[in-house]
Structures are given as C-alpha cells and as structure tokens.
Amino acid sequence: MAQAVGSADATTEAPLLLSSTLGTPPPLLAGARAPRRNRFAFVCATLASVTTMLHGYNLTLMSGAELFMREDVGLTDAEVEVLAGSMNVFMLASILAAGWVADHLGRRRTLVLANAFFMAGALAMSLGTSFAALMAARFVTSVGSGFARVVAPVYNAEISPPSTRGVLSSMLDMFINVGILLSYVSNYAFSGLPVHLGWRVMYGIGVIPPVFIAAGVLFMPESPWWLAMQGRHGDARAVLMRTSDTPADADLQLREIKRAVADAEPPPAAARHSGGAGVWKQLLVRRPSTSVRRILTCVLGLHFFVQASGVDAILLYSPLVFKAVGMASNSAILGATVAIGAVKTCFILVGMLFTDRLGRRPLLLASTAGVATTATALGVTLYIGTSTTSSSPATAAACLASVLAVVATYSIGYGSVVSAYSAEVLPLRLRAQGSSLAMAVNRLTCGVVSMTFISLADGITMPGCFFLYAAVTAAAFVFVYVRLPETKGRSLEDMEVLFHN
C-alpha cells in the first residue's frame, strides 16, 4: 500500500497570510512561476472516481437489457418499472450508513468494500431466473452504489488541493457517465446473442472490473482529513506533502485541518463512542447554526432538483421514448442510446474542465436554464410525434436531437458540478453524514422518477411528463440564482464563513 506513514507532527510556524486563510493563494512575486499542479492528487482522485463507473454501468444497463429480460424471464411492465427504479430506493440504506462506515473504516477501505458488493451484485444479476432473484441482486449492487456515491466525492474533495479541487471532485461524475456509456455499448454489442444469453452476458462482464479497481484503490493514500480526525497528524502531513502543490501549501492545509478538527463538535472520539449519533443529532435534531442551516438547504435542495429534472427517465426509458415516435428496430433504438451516452460523457468532461475556470454557479445556472428549455422542446416533439397516425423519420430525428440536447445541457452543469459543490461546502464535522443525507435525497427523488415514469406517462401522457420536468427545472433555476453562492477558489475551511455572510 502507498499510504504514507510519518510519526512526527512537523508543521511550519511561519505566519499565515490573510489571503491564504481565506482560501486564495498569495500573489506571485514578479517573474515567479506558478507552481505545477499536483499529479499525484490527480491519480488518487481518478482511482476513487473509477469506482463510481460501476454504479453508472449497473444503473442504466437495464435500459436495453429489459428488452430481452421481458421475453426471457417474463417480466411485466410493472415489474420492469420496479426493477429499474428499485436500485435507487435500495441505495438509501447504504447511503445513510456510508458516512458512519467511512468515518470508522476510513474512506479507502469503504471504497474497497463497495467494489466487493459490485462484484457480487453483477454475478447475482447474471444468474437470476426470476423477478425475486433479480430484485435481491439489485439490492446487493445498491449497497456498493451507495458507498461509492457518498464516499468517492468526499475522498476527492479531501485529497485535492484548492487549486484543482473543482476539476478533481467532478471527475466522479465523468466516470459515472463513462459507466453509463459502456452500459449502452454493452446493450448494443450483445443484442445479437440469443435472448436467454445476451442480457446475462451484459451483467456478467461487470464481475471483472471491481477486482482490478479494488486493487488500485488499495494503493491510494488515506484522506488526510480522516487521518487528522484519528489524531494521526504525522500521517496526515505525509499525505499532504504528496498531494499539495507546494510544501508550504501542505503545512498550511495541515494547520487548517487541525483547527477544523479541533473546532468539530462533538469531538471525533465522542462521535466514535456514540456510533455517529452525535453528528446525526446536529444535522436533524439540534438547531444548527445559521451557516450550517443555509449549507444544508443548498445541498439538499440541489440534490432534489438535479433528479427531479427527470434525466433518469431518459437514461432508463429512452427506448420507450424512441418507440413512441416510431422507431421500431431494436438495433436503431440501442444505437440511439449509445449516442446518448457519448453526448453525456463529452459534456460532463466539458463541464468538469470549466468548473474551476468559470465557477460552479454560472455552470449550474446555464444547465438549469438549458434543461428547462430543451425538456420543453422534447415534450413538444413527442406531442407532435404521438398525435399523428403515422410516424416519419423527421419526427424520430427531431426526438433524438431533443433528447441529446436535454442530456447535453444537463451534463454541463447539473451532471458535473452538484457532487463537487456538495462535498466542498459541508463542514468537516458533518461532511460524511451530510453527504449521506444529500445522496439519500438524491436517490429517493431518482427512485420516485424512475419508478413512476411508465405509470405517469399512462396518466398524463409522455409529453406531459417532460413538460412537468421542465417546470420543475425552471424552479431549480430560481433556487440556484437566489440561494447558491460561488465557491470557486475557496478553501474547505472557509465555507461556513461564506454561507454565514
């Protein structure tokens, strides 16, 4: 393992610059060169983020696999709807437990555990022969998904230097979408196999990657924040020396981390003896401070709106959307889903690259406005396509273009910023459990959307669904504009001051 070990708590006693305390690096002297960005932090964030790729793969593989599972296993529309959305609901248990597990086992070992559940869940899905067996397999997979979705963004935020935290924290969203793209490619590649075999191979190949990913995660260092919470300041400094842009930045970060740990209430030791109950009391029972209350409002609201936009209805049910406008060939439908995955991944990458340049707030405003507009356009296209007695290639092409536009505008802000923003604004003492609570809201909302789309489309029509999603996203634009401050360039320790003001 590459976890750095040190015994001495050697911190530099040079006076702090005010600009550094506020999270802005001091100005460079004339002719001085900017320090090189830290590559080791990039490698660590990449290894942590790859775990979330498995979540994306397993979540959306149902999109194409259900076309064959219906025939092989005999699933009904209601069972497909429940099976597709159940993973989001099942994840609630592991999401709420993830903060406690990550605080006790550490961020790194929790990610290894997540990969073990991914491997077991993929194997169980490939062998399932009934609706009940498939539901049990989805539950096993959901445990890994919950751990990965909560712990990976926390680890990335804690391992990253402030200069690149936005980009590195957003990497997990890119890998989730790589997983989504691979699931669509898998759907298309194995669609030619016999019905009873194709969908099982789609899930079966998901058994192999977790083994290699877990091995890679074992070579990551532990989060310096978690090490400091355990009183291992020498180890924390050793990690910071490898992940910071300069040695001075490492010493500065360590002082700020130690101060944040000292200010945390209840103390970490007390939290360990209470099983994390003290942190949950601060979040849900006691009246939190004004800054913490504002942070929770922003984080929980953002996670609600990002899923209430209805993007998972597209990711899971795009074959049904395309069939509604006349696409009849499974090959054409699955090919269109590959285009969705490719566009989503590309625009996630664009958003990730601009997170630290433009800031979080401009990207979120552009994304919410874009999704509201493009979802309305998709609703209009579906209304025209489903109102005519005969479909045309032009209608199908317009529908595909509208779907790709929704996915692109979603990905450039919603899909690339939300996890990073949430992980960085939560204070240390509440970060793990606060991330768990936020992800619980995220998955619960996603579960409601994914488990009701078919029924909702029967009730208010498919175009009506997307008009509804557009209205919700318009409300999200107002929420972002009114409530969310910019966090670009701020240190993690400065967030409570930002929200207090």
Side-chain angles (χ1 to χ4, degrees), residues 421-463:
Y421 190 94
S422 302
E424 68 184 358
V425 300
L426 286 165
L428 171 64
R429 64 185 181 277
L430 308 175
R431 189 171 298 148
Q433 278 89 341
S435 296
S436 295
L437 184 60
M439 192 52 61
V441 172
N442 182 296
R443 291 295 95 190
L444 182 60
T445 308
C446 182
V448 170
V449 170
S450 57
M451 295 178 74
T452 59
F453 179 74
I454 296 176
S455 303
L456 190 62
D458 290 339
I460 65 173
T461 73
M462 194 174 289

Side-chain angles (χ1 to χ4, degrees), residues 77-78 81-82 307-314 317 320-321 382 445-472:
D77 277 349
E81 192 175 50
V82 171
Q307 293 300 336
S309 65
V311 71
D312 267 52
I314 291 177
Y317 299 110
L320 298 182
V321 174
L382 285 170
T445 308
C446 182
V448 170
V449 170
S450 57
M451 295 178 74
T452 59
F453 179 74
I454 296 176
S455 303
L456 190 62
D458 290 339
I460 65 173
T461 73
M462 194 174 289
C465 290
F466 289 100
F467 290 138
L468 175 61
Y469 299 147
V472 173

Side-chain angles (χ1 to χ4, degrees), residues 38 46 118 141 166 175 189 205 321 324 433 447 463 493-494:
N38 189 287
T46 300
F118 278 127
T141 305
F175 278 102
I205 59 175
V321 174
Q433 278 89 341
E493 302 77 29
D494 193 33

Side-chain angles (χ1 to χ4, degrees), residues 267-338:
R272 286 195 299 270
H273 290 306
S274 64
V279 178
W280 286 115
K281 285 181 180 180
Q282 289 187 73
L283 283 172
L284 303 175
V285 180
R286 299 175 185 170
R287 182 175 177 82
S289 65
T290 300
S291 58
V292 171
R293 188 166 62 251
R294 289 172 179 169
I295 288 172
L296 288 176
T297 299
C298 290
V299 169
L300 299 183
L302 202 53
H303 276 271
F304 166 77
F305 281 119
V306 73
Q307 293 300 336
S309 65
V311 71
D312 267 52
I314 291 177
L315 298 180
L316 289 172
Y317 299 110
S318 52
L320 298 182
V321 174
F322 295 139
K323 282 185 176 182
V325 293
M327 281 193 192
S329 165
N330 280 347
S331 178
I333 289 172
L334 295 178
T337 62
V338 173

Side-chain angles (χ1 to χ4, degrees), residues 36-42 156-169 240 242-246 249 253 356 360 490-492:
R36 295 182 63 183
R37 300 306 185 202
N38 189 287
R39 294 181 180 179
F40 184 68
F42 173 81
N156 284 6
E158 293 178 346
I159 205 74
S160 307
S163 59
T164 55
R165 192 178 61 243
V167 171
L168 299 187
S169 296
L240 287 170
R242 303 179 69 191
T243 59
S244 300
D245 292 331
T246 66
D249 287 344
Q253 278 189 274
D356 282 322
R360 287 62 156 159
R490 296 273 186 166
S491 68
L492 295 182

Side-chain angles (χ1 to χ4, degrees), residues 17-27 162 252 256 488-491 494:
L17 294 175
L18 178 61
S19 59
S20 297
T21 304
L22 295 178
T24 305
L252 172 61
E256 292 177 335
K488 182 181 71 170
R490 296 273 186 166
S491 68
D494 193 33

